[in-house]
Each structure stands twice: as C-alpha cells, then as structure tokens.
Amino acid sequence: MVAAVWAVLAAWAWLAPSRDISVAERRQLAQKPAIQTKTLLDGSFMTDFEDASLDQFPLRDTFREAKSLFHRFVLRQSDKSGIYISQGYAAAQEYPLSEASVNHALERFSSVYETYLSSTDSRIYLAIVPDKGYYLAQSAGQLSMDYDRLFSLVEGGMPWASPIRLTDSLSIQDYYRTDTHWRQERLLPAAQTLCQALGVSSPRQEDYTVTPLEKPFYGVYYGQAALPMQPDTMYLLKSDLLDDCRVYDYETGETTAVYDMTKLDSRDLYDVYLSGARSLLTIENPNAATGRELIVFRDSFGSSMVPLLVNDYAKVTLVDLRYIRSDYLGQFLDFHGQDVLFLYSTLLLNNSAAIK
C-alpha cells in the first residue's frame, strides 16, 4: 500500500503541470530541469531536480499545514521557525535586540542629517513604528527584543530630531492578522499624533470613505506559519483630496495615483499603497491648505501612513534608503527647510543592513 501511494505521488509529481509561484509563501517555485548531457555529468541536474521535487511535490501546501498543526497541537510547540500565533495574530519572534544594527541605522541617518539638513532650518522629527511583538510577545510568552532600550538608543542617537511616540496610539488590532504591516483604516489616531507634532491639520474619519478590496490579503506570515488562517481584508481610506493628488515615481518617470490599482495582481497586495517598494516618490497635492513641504525617510510602513499626512502639504517626498544611496539624494532633491520625518519600524531598525 505504501509503495502504491508513493508510486502515485511520483507519477503525479512528474505528470502534473508545474506551478510557477506559491501564493501562500509568496515566492517563485523551482521548476523541473531539462534532461541534458552536460547537467547530468556535472551533477547540476540532480541539485535542480531535488529543489523542484520539494517545490512541486503534490499537495505540498496540505502537507505543510499538516506538519504545522502537528507541531503546534501534538508537540505543543509555541512557534514554527520563529513564527507564532497569539490572539488570532501571526507574528515573528524579533529577538534579541541588535545594537549593532541600530547603530548602523543611526550612522546612516546622521549622515543624511550632516550632509543635507544640518545647514537648513528644517524641523526634524522621529517616529518609531512598533512591530506586532511589542503588543503580543510578553502575553504570549515569546522572546522579544528590549523595546525600551531600542527607543532609547534611537532617540539618544538622533538628538537633532524631536521624538514622536506612537505606541500609545496603536494596539494589536491595528495590524493585519497575517502580515507585518498596520491597517490603514485604523491608523487615524496614529496619524493624528503625527500631525499634531508636525503642526498641521489632523485627518478626520468623516473626510474618508473606507473602501474594501475584493481580493483577499494573504500576508507574509500566512505562508510562513503554514497554519489554517483566514485571510485579511484590506481597506483603503479614499477622499476627494487624495484622488486629486499625483504621485511621481523617480524610478519609472511615471505619474500615478496614491492607490495603485494595477497592483491588485501583485504577489503582495500591500503594494497598492503608493506602488509598494520605491526608492523615491513625490506626492503633489493641488488642494493643500498651505504651501508647506514634507520629506519622509521611511520603510514600507510609510506607504499606508503618508497618504493620511498630506492634507496641509503641497508636496510630500518619500525616501526609502534601502533602495537609494543617501549620497545620491542631492541629485534629485533640494533641501531648503522642509519639515522632515524619519518614520521607521522596529523591524527595520533591528535588521538595518539594507539601509544604504
């Protein structure tokens, strides 16, 4: 019987069409290699065949889910490869605090300040976005970094920036259950905290239409946890003001909308917010209440937050130092006393090697 089962699975693996991507894991899958004399002789065929066999194995997602359920409910393991579920939310163990990583980020931010901002009259601010572990880890009995130490290191290392604390404006309910990111439709309290510090008008609930996307959102932790979880629903906060804003992408030279609906077919639905990972963007707001400008140095959390900050700003520029070197910025931007906000998550600060 066992031999028959394996024979069926082997035939299924060879004859079934190969899948290009894994929706759950949000990655490309290895493909079956072509049989060639050269690859057979140099051994690369067997290496590629092994990778393809693992990725194209029949009912692969079902077996992954069964394994995760066994580890959680039979072996009573509290996490799977560092991913745990608590209160219905999947999160990653972010441990320990890497002071070396925080210091690397501070060196990059200080370089930006000394090169472009120190000689201007810019008002500079710092806001740290806590990851889900800040609200989940302790009650779930999971390892987590020393958040107080991280906040202290970053705020102490940027004495030229006024700190804005967001932790009291957020809760675990403000994050997606299956993803790292926060939910835009729940960010108004945090956006109001930022706007009050920046000295601009705060966004109001009545200014927006909460619009759900029909496509379900399977976040990054959905595939990593490999446990049966319902997908999230993604909502957009729409307004006439945001509809009139234009977003210029320095990478493509194209002008798009704040919400990029072409990204509905993206592997990561979160890319709908400001087109996802981009090195340099400018939002022009023709209906701004003032002529003020804002520059936001940010990671991906800024994509869904920044649209809620634009009301009073005629121009908002978003810079992602993971994708553009700081010494190139002078070629594209004129620093002349704009408001400046450094908006970074604890996830990136604790894993900052990508900051250029």
Side-chain angles (χ1 to χ4, degrees), residues 191-205:
Q192 290 161 359
T193 297
L194 290 171
C195 287
Q196 288 167 11
L198 291 166
V200 295
S201 60
S202 295
R204 303 173 304 171
Q205 186 70 54

Side-chain angles (χ1 to χ4, degrees), residues 309-320:
L309 308 180
V310 304
N311 288 3
D312 283 4
Y313 288 107
K315 183 178 180 180
V316 179
T317 301
L318 297 91
V319 182
D320 194 330

Side-chain angles (χ1 to χ4, degrees), residues 40-61:
L40 287 172
L41 292 176
D42 65 18
S44 61
F45 174 83
M46 291 308 300
T47 300
D48 294 341
F49 175 78
E50 181 178 4
D51 293 339
S53 298
L54 293 173
D55 276 6
Q56 301 295 339
F57 194 80
L59 303 177
R60 182 173 182 274
D61 290 340

Side-chain angles (χ1 to χ4, degrees), residues 18-22 25 27-31 55-56 60:
S18 295
R19 296 187 300 158
D20 293 328
I21 64 171
S22 168
E25 297 171 87
R27 68 175 181 86
Q28 295 282 345
L29 296 176
Q31 301 299 301
D55 276 6
Q56 301 295 339
R60 182 173 182 274

Side-chain angles (χ1 to χ4, degrees), residues 64 68 80 83-85 90 220-227 229:
R64 290 182 67 246
S68 293
K80 177 183 180 291
I83 307 297
Y84 63 93
I85 296 179
V220 65
Y221 293 145
Y222 179 87
Q224 293 177 6
L227 288 168
M229 298 183 69

